[in-house]
Amino acid sequence: MALFRRVVADPQCPRAAKWLLVAAIAYALNPIDIIPDFLPVIGHLDDVVVLPLLVWLALKLVPANLVAEHREQLTH
């Protein structure tokens, strides 16, 4: 979690990645879902698909060298 916070706070992090992560957090905290949670199995399926997809897309937009730089700073 600390790695993601450091990467997002970095000015070199693309704005689109920041917005996708904000969207993921907002979707997780929002009580209104695409498919209501009271429906068995299907209700939680949208959370299982949408949240990881938003995070994955955001991480694909962040340059690998930026993540590596912050990861190295955390380990030292």
Side-chain angles (χ1 to χ4, degrees):
M1 193 61 137
L3 177 63
F4 293 128
R5 275 185 270 164
R6 290 177 62 101
V7 170
V8 170
D10 192 305
Q12 295 177 6
C13 181
R15 188 171 289 160
K18 292 178 183 183
W19 281 108
L20 284 170
L21 290 174
V22 167
I25 292 168
Y27 186 80
L29 297 177
N30 189 359
I32 300 171
D33 288 337
I34 295 171
I35 302 171
D37 286 341
F38 65 81
L39 296 172
V41 181
I42 297 172
H44 295 285
L45 189 60
D46 65 330
D47 296 334
V48 172
V49 173
V50 172
L51 291 174
L53 180 65
L54 289 172
V55 172
W56 179 78
L57 287 171
L59 292 177
K60 284 293 184 187
L61 293 174
V62 176
N65 63 337
L66 184 64
V67 175
E69 176 186 323
H70 285 285
R71 182 175 287 139
E72 184 178 323
Q73 289 175 3
L74 281 174
T75 58
H76 293 314

